[in-house]
Amino acid sequence: MEKAVEVKNLKKYFISEKKKLFKKTEKKEFKAVDDVSFHINKGEIFGLLGPNGAGKTTTIKMITGLLRPTSGSVTVMGKDVDKNPMEALSNIGTVLAGDRSIYWKLSARENLEYFAALYGCNKKEAKERTQKVLDRLGLSDKADELVEKYSTGMKQKVALGKALIPNAPVVLLDEPTLGLDPQAAINLREIILEIKNEGRTVLLTTHYMEEADFLSDRIAIIDGGKIIALDTPENLKRKLNQVKTLNVEVDSSDKKLLDEIKEIKDIENVVSKYDEAGRRYILNIHHMDGDVVIQKIIDCVSNNNKKILSMNVKEPSLEDVFIHLTGKSLRD
Ligand SMILES: Nc1ncnc2c1ncn2[C@@H]1O[C@H](COP(=O)(O)OP(=O)(O)OP(=O)(O)O)[C@@H](O)[C@H]1O
């Protein structure tokens, strides 16, 4: 299969300096991206999934040439981003998370025509491309209204439009649905699938499990600057199948309870989440097969003077894969 993007041993280390009273400045190295390698096949949607601070945006910035890697290489459609930036980057359209480059005092049409001009289109071509993108995004009706009057979802569509204007074979989307209401997020995901159906390649970063699961052909899970798993969503979930996932709802939870559950033989991981609506705690427990384990969990909860409100065995989700691999919940 042909590769649209290839990332090899990519590293980005940031150096921070701390001034110490009467002492020399202390330098500290922070590994934001730490030896990351992956490739994206032509025509696939590749999801880069990870919690806040995992290194997703830093990776995207290195792919788009906005940030120079400490070491490692990136090629886009066979061209090296460092050695051959013009050719490599002409193949990419990008939306960065919280993109501020959309002008709110201009209309969507004016914004997109402006970006088309920046990409070297003449006036006629800029108008044509803009109209095409506006139609595709369902923005044509309000194309001449100022962006400041748009909803968040519509503003995000204009940002996506900016990534589509270059008509590039590779589209990088950094948290494209962040902050959108559920319906607007669904609409945007449909558009992302359409982009794929045109034969384009999409790299998507997200910290929404369902989004990565729904859209991606393959997913890389990144945590602490390292890729800890990379596979199709189905295979990632299949790998978890020998481990059972149990959700136990309890009326209260604390560190002592979690520590004691973790001590039970055959327990792999426990994560506790507070369900505000139901005013209860949900313990997400991964364990190896066996009824004895369940009985021990029940005993442990009751010995801690807490009450079990419900218990159910779950099909593994991508979130379970993440908890299993990292020992923490994605939204921690
Ligand atoms: N210019 C910088 N200087 C120092 N540290 C930085 C810099 N840019 C990013 N970092 C750090 O690198 C780590 C990775 O950041 P990055 O923005 O890539 O994460 P992310 O996975 O995109 O997270 P989020 O979902 O919160 O955007 C973070 O801990 C961040 O604080």
Side-chain angles (χ1 to χ4, degrees):
M1 227 180 270
E2 272 188 275
K3 293 170 186 170
V5 177
E6 185 155 33
V7 170
K8 275 192 190 157
N9 304 108
L10 203 62
K11 294 182 184 172
K12 183 69 196 177
Y13 295 174
F14 291 110
I15 309 285
S16 62
E17 294 193 350
K18 229 182 185 178
K19 278 222 179 298
K20 292 248 169 179
L21 205 58
F22 309 121
K23 279 192 190 159
K24 271 193 184 164
T25 313
E26 203 174 87
K27 283 192 180 176
K28 240 183 142 186
E29 192 177 62
F30 178 76
K31 297 177 178 177
V33 173
D34 192 14
D35 207 6
V36 159
S37 299
F38 62 86
H39 70 268
I40 309 175
N41 295 315
K42 273 190 191 164
E44 79 175 340
I45 299 184
F46 187 90
L48 197 55
L49 177 73
N52 289 334
K56 304 182 295 291
T57 303
T58 309
T59 304
I60 284 231
K61 281 186 176 169
M62 288 191 278
I63 297 174
T64 53
L66 284 172
L67 206 57
R68 205 143 190 224
T70 305
S71 63
S73 66
V74 179
T75 51
V76 181
M77 305 301 276
K79 305 287 177 206
D80 188 292
V81 170
D82 191 46
K83 295 187 190 121
N84 221 335
M86 293 293 269
E87 276 188 70
L89 301 179
S90 67
N91 289 307
I92 299 183
T94 313
V95 190
L96 285 178
D99 202 323
R100 301 263 175 273
S101 59
I102 301 299
Y103 298 100
W104 289 25
K105 292 283 177 198
L106 297 180
S107 67
R109 189 187 304 281
E110 287 165 333
N111 264 288
L112 296 181
E113 285 182 0
Y114 169 72
F115 290 118
L118 286 186
Y119 280 107
C121 295
N122 63 35
K123 223 172 178 174
K124 182 167 172 281
E125 202 183 345
K127 279 188 185 303
E128 282 170 5
R129 276 203 200 181
T130 296
Q131 190 55 54
K132 238 177 158 175
V133 171
L134 288 168
D135 288 343
R136 127 73 41 86
L137 296 174
L139 283 175
S140 297
D141 286 355
K142 301 211 167 162
D144 298 305
E145 281 185 24
L146 295 188
V147 169
E148 68 182 0
K149 294 192 181 149
Y150 282 11
S151 66
T152 315
M154 287 166 75
K155 284 183 185 128
Q156 193 65 3
K157 279 188 180 176
V158 182
L160 180 59
K162 187 189 148 199
L164 298 182
I165 278 290
N167 221 354
V170 180
V171 181
L172 307 188
L173 307 174
D174 189 13
E175 301 273 5
T177 60
L178 191 70
L180 296 190
D181 65 60
Q183 189 53 49
I186 288 170
N187 292 344
L188 213 67
R189 284 176 197 144
E190 294 297 336
I191 293 170
I192 295 169
L193 283 180
E194 283 172 29
I195 297 172
K196 173 196 154 88
N197 289 338
E198 288 170 358
R200 299 208 226 184
T201 306
V202 179
L203 168 61
L204 169 92
T205 79
T206 181
H207 61 269
Y208 298 126
M209 290 290 178
E210 319 75 49
E211 181 162 292
D213 198 357
F214 175 70
L215 287 176
S216 313
D217 296 299
R218 289 187 305 139
I219 294 175
I221 298 182
I222 183 167
D223 188 34
K226 284 188 182 293
I227 289 187
I228 53 173
L230 195 167
D231 216 324
T232 60
E234 294 70 33
N235 282 347
L236 285 171
K237 286 185 269 187
R238 200 171 301 139
K239 279 179 194 161
L240 248 195
N241 263 347
Q242 63 276 41
V243 179
K244 303 282 168 201
T245 305
L246 189 69
N247 266 1
V248 181
E249 291 189 354
V250 285
D251 60 344
S252 71
S253 167
D254 52 32
K255 189 171 176 308
K256 181 170 168 283
L257 173 67
L258 296 182
D259 285 346
E260 285 182 21
I261 292 177
K262 275 181 205 159
E263 285 297 307
I264 299 172
K265 188 171 168 287
D266 289 338
I267 296 277
E268 299 268 314
N269 263 318
V270 187
V271 171
S272 158
K273 268 193 200 168
Y274 183 57
D275 169 24
E276 211 150 321
R279 294 194 184 162
R280 57 190 60 193
Y281 290 83
I282 301 165
L283 308 181
N284 183 303
I285 303 175
H286 293 167
H287 65 95
M288 302 310 282
D289 215 355
D291 294 342
V292 181
V293 176
I294 296 179
Q295 186 55 52
K296 284 187 178 159
I297 294 168
I298 296 170
D299 293 345
C300 189
V301 174
S302 98
N303 291 342
N304 275 275
N305 298 320
K306 312 210 188 289
K307 223 162 88 188
I308 291 182
L309 305 171
S310 77
M311 240 180 166
N312 59 72
V313 177
K314 277 191 351 168
E315 281 291 303
S317 65
L318 266 187
E319 175 129 30
D320 293 315
V321 175
F322 189 84
I323 292 171
H324 187 66
L325 291 168
T326 64
K328 62 188 181 199
S329 165
L330 190 67
R331 291 184 184 87
D332 270 358

